[in-house]
Structures are given as C-alpha cells and as structure tokens.
Amino acid sequence: MGRREQQKKENPRQIHVYCEGESEKIYLETLRNLVGIKQRLKLVVRSERKQGIDLYNHVRSRYKKHDFKVSPVEIIIIVDKDDTTTEELTKLKNKCLRSGYLLIYSNACFELWLLLHFEKVTFFTTRENLNSSLSSKLGKSYKKTDKRFFEQVVKKYEVALKNSEKMEDGIPEFNKNPYTNMKELLNNYFNV
C-alpha cells in the first residue's frame, strides 16, 4: 500500500448542525453536555445568522470540496417559519432532501420547542405569545441567550419529547402552527 493511500484513513463520523440563531446552539450544546451524543459522535453546532435558502446555500458552499468518504458528516439545518414564505420553505425542504440534509423546522419559532419543556402547545401561536409564555414560566423576562435558563430547561427534555409526541415526524406542511420536529433531532442523535 502506497503512502498516499495510508493518508486517506477515514475519520470518525460527525454531526454538523447549522441554525439561524444563538438559542438553538446554546440549547443543543447544553443538551449534549447533559445527556451526550449517541455512539459518542462529535457534535458541532454553528449559529450562522442566515435564514432559509440563504442558510442552505451557505452550508452547501462550506462542503463544496468536502470528501464525505474520508470525513463522514451528517448535516442538519434548523430553521423557523419567521417571515419565510411557504414556497421558499418548500424549496428548502426539497434541496435538503436532495442533499441528504436533515431539516428541522419550527412554526412559529424555536421558542415553541422551549415552551414544550413546560406544557403542551396545541393552539395557534406567535413568536410574541411564545416569548410571553416563557417569561411567565420563568417569572422574569425571557432572554434568548440566557445560559442559566437553558441549563434549567434542558433538564426537562423528557417533558418536551412527551409534549411533542403528537407532532408528526418529517414536515407535513409549513403552515401548520404550532409545529416542530425537534424531537427527531433528539431521538436520532442524543442519548435521550
């Protein structure tokens, strides 16, 4: 075996998560520290401050020359409904399917997943309603990057999984509110 062939040794599989905001990153890193990742895989979470198709295109460009055989990476993109149109979200979903990326989606926003740690959410909701409800649960104003809050919330991940049981896996339709498929990410990759 030549020297070059020896250098092509396969690296351990990794999970790379790209999200729109900081809350998702803090949540996932806190959960990783609490329960760990299945098969002890390496989890890398990046907040890119891009939305929808822009986030997808950014991720795609990062892996343009990546050798997935030598360095296997599972890519996950986390997005919210925000002001993104259903048409753009459908395009994003199709692009993710073609690329083999897992798309995690929340409507109205990621805070829905956080509120599910406290209660079932079965009514139409908005970002403002979710933030208000989280503030009420905290007894103080909810701040998206409050690490102490996330340390408390993450401990209740089993409640969130139970409260989200009736929400379908995959993404049935983008206008469904409330909806999140965050449980897929937890069930597939975390020791929950």
Side-chain angles (χ1 to χ4, degrees):
M1 184 182 302
R3 189 174 193 147
R4 277 211 142 129
E5 290 177 35
Q6 287 179 333
Q7 290 176 344
K8 287 270 187 180
K9 182 180 165 190
E10 187 175 309
N11 294 318
R13 197 172 101 220
Q14 294 185 12
I15 305 160
H16 291 187
V17 178
Y18 293 88
C19 43
E20 297 173 330
E22 203 60 31
S23 301
E24 297 91 333
K25 180 179 195 263
I26 296 169
Y27 178 88
L28 293 172
E29 289 174 344
T30 305
L31 183 65
R32 174 192 57 206
N33 295 340
L34 179 69
V35 300
I37 304 296
K38 287 184 179 178
Q39 302 170 14
R40 296 168 48 143
L41 298 173
K42 181 177 179 185
L43 173 73
V44 177
V45 185
R46 291 191 171 95
S47 170
E48 298 293 346
R49 303 204 186 280
K50 296 180 184 307
Q51 291 185 334
I53 298 287
D54 289 339
L55 178 60
Y56 170 86
N57 289 336
H58 174 75
V59 170
R60 246 344 237 172
S61 70
R62 287 185 74 108
Y63 294 93
K64 202 173 224 172
K65 295 182 181 180
H66 187 86
D67 186 343
F68 286 92
K69 288 184 180 172
V70 173
S71 295
V73 175
E74 293 187 39
I75 299 171
I76 301 163
I77 294 178
I78 302 177
V79 298
D80 295 338
K81 173 71 169 116
D82 290 321
D83 297 323
T84 313
T85 66
T86 301
E87 181 182 336
E88 185 176 335
L89 288 166
T90 301
K91 284 180 186 174
L92 173 63
K93 178 181 174 182
N94 292 334
K95 286 176 178 278
C96 285
L97 284 171
R98 281 193 301 273
S99 299
Y101 300 171
L102 174 61
L103 179 62
I104 301 296
Y105 168 73
S106 296
N107 188 5
C109 57
F110 180 71
E111 282 70 19
L112 168 63
W113 177 249
L114 299 177
L115 187 57
L116 287 167
H117 288 70
F118 299 98
E119 63 187 44
K120 279 188 179 177
V121 182
T122 58
F123 52 89
F124 180 89
T125 189
T126 65
R127 176 181 301 278
E128 293 76 22
N129 291 347
L130 291 165
N131 289 344
S132 175
S133 294
L134 285 170
S135 293
S136 173
K137 297 291 179 196
L138 287 169
K140 64 179 185 176
S141 183
Y142 163 68
K143 292 188 178 38
K144 289 176 156 287
T145 57
D146 181 350
K147 291 186 180 183
R148 286 190 192 139
F149 164 73
F150 284 97
E151 288 167 359
Q152 293 171 358
V153 169
V154 163
K155 292 176 186 173
K156 301 177 183 196
Y157 71 86
E158 290 172 327
V159 174
L161 289 170
K162 182 158 181 50
N163 286 338
S164 65
E165 278 178 349
K166 297 212 187 255
M167 292 184 185
E168 301 166 48
D169 287 342
I171 302 168
E173 58 183 82
F174 288 106
N175 287 327
K176 189 171 186 170
N177 181 330
Y179 178 80
T180 183
N181 64 332
M182 270 298 289
K183 68 178 181 209
E184 285 184 65
L185 178 56
L186 271 68
N187 288 331
N188 290 338
Y189 296 99
F190 288 83
N191 293 322
V192 296

